[in-house]
Amino acid sequence: MIIMEKMAAIMAGSLLVGVGINFFLIPYHLLDGGMIGIGLIIHYFLGLPTGLGVILSSIPLYIYAWYYEKKLFLNSLHGLLFSSLCIDIFSEAVIEWNIPIFISAIIGGGLIGLGVGLMLRYGTSTGGTDMLAQIISSKSGLNAGVLIFFIDGCVLLVGLSVVDWAIFFYSFLTITAVAMLTSVTVMRTAT
């Protein structure tokens, strides 16, 4: 039963992440933080699929986890692969709605945060910095959503070299929504 719940969380979380990225962030060239943000930067400027960029940028953390956090490695590998697949599958969808960029940033970030938080609730993640935040959280007791927000902010600052200030600020709204929804979703299990 627990394995079925975890698989359902991985599938639902991955679908939410894929929809949030492709329907709300990519149309405006918004960034997220973490490995998804790096995957988006790779997508925008090299043309590689975003999910593939997420996988490639996650490899160093997965090497670390293989040696030092084997259980986390095994629990997160499915989330990384399935969420990256959903990101790339949904990239083919064409949504033609015209919503303001700030609303798109908030909705996209909210969906991503909900998806990431759902996976973290069941001990899995999309990999990358979610996994790093999970490692730090387990050792320090700090909230994973707060850690993700900090890491995402660092990636966003790096992304400032490739996006303009307006996109940077809207992307900051995105990572704020991601952090808030991740935190709320993860805290729900503590009660």
Side-chain angles (χ1 to χ4, degrees):
M1 184 65 130
I2 292 175
I3 292 174
M4 295 299 289
E5 287 179 11
K6 182 178 276 195
M7 290 307 297
I10 289 170
M11 288 190 286
S14 296
L15 291 170
L16 288 166
V17 168
V19 168
I21 289 169
N22 288 293
F23 294 4
F24 297 97
L25 301 189
I26 288 179
Y28 290 103
H29 289 268
L30 294 169
L31 294 173
D32 188 11
M35 295 304 172
I36 292 174
I38 293 169
L40 285 166
I41 291 168
I42 291 170
H43 170 72
Y44 295 148
F45 298 100
L46 297 178
L48 287 177
T50 306
L52 178 61
V54 171
I55 290 173
L56 293 175
S57 59
S58 295
I59 290 173
L61 283 173
Y62 273 88
I63 291 171
Y64 170 85
W66 173 258
Y67 288 107
Y68 301 106
E69 301 282 343
K70 195 81 81 171
K71 183 178 179 185
L72 189 58
F73 172 87
L74 296 172
N75 285 336
S76 296
L77 185 61
H78 298 99
L80 169 70
L81 296 175
F82 198 77
S83 63
S84 295
L85 177 67
C86 284
I87 291 168
D88 288 346
I89 286 174
F90 283 118
S91 70
E92 299 301 318
V94 176
I95 300 297
E96 298 207 17
W97 53 43
N98 192 13
I99 59 176
I101 188 171
F102 70 93
I103 293 175
S104 192
I106 293 169
I107 293 172
L111 290 171
I112 294 166
L114 186 59
V116 167
L118 183 61
M119 286 191 269
L120 289 174
R121 279 174 77 167
Y122 287 90
T124 189
S125 72
T126 59
T129 54
D130 300 341
M131 185 169 59
L132 179 62
Q134 213 170 2
I135 291 168
I136 295 170
S137 178
S138 70
K139 296 187 185 309
S140 68
L142 294 171
N143 181 285
V146 172
L147 291 168
I148 290 169
F149 180 72
F150 175 75
I151 295 166
D152 287 354
C154 291
V155 171
L156 198 55
L157 284 173
V158 170
L160 186 57
S161 64
V162 293
V163 297
D164 64 31
W165 280 99
I167 297 298
F168 173 82
F169 286 117
Y170 288 121
S171 297
F172 187 79
L173 281 176
T174 298
I175 67 166
T176 302
V178 169
M180 290 174 63
L181 266 290
T182 299
S183 294
V184 168
T185 306
V186 171
M187 285 191 301
R188 288 268 191 221
T189 60
T191 58

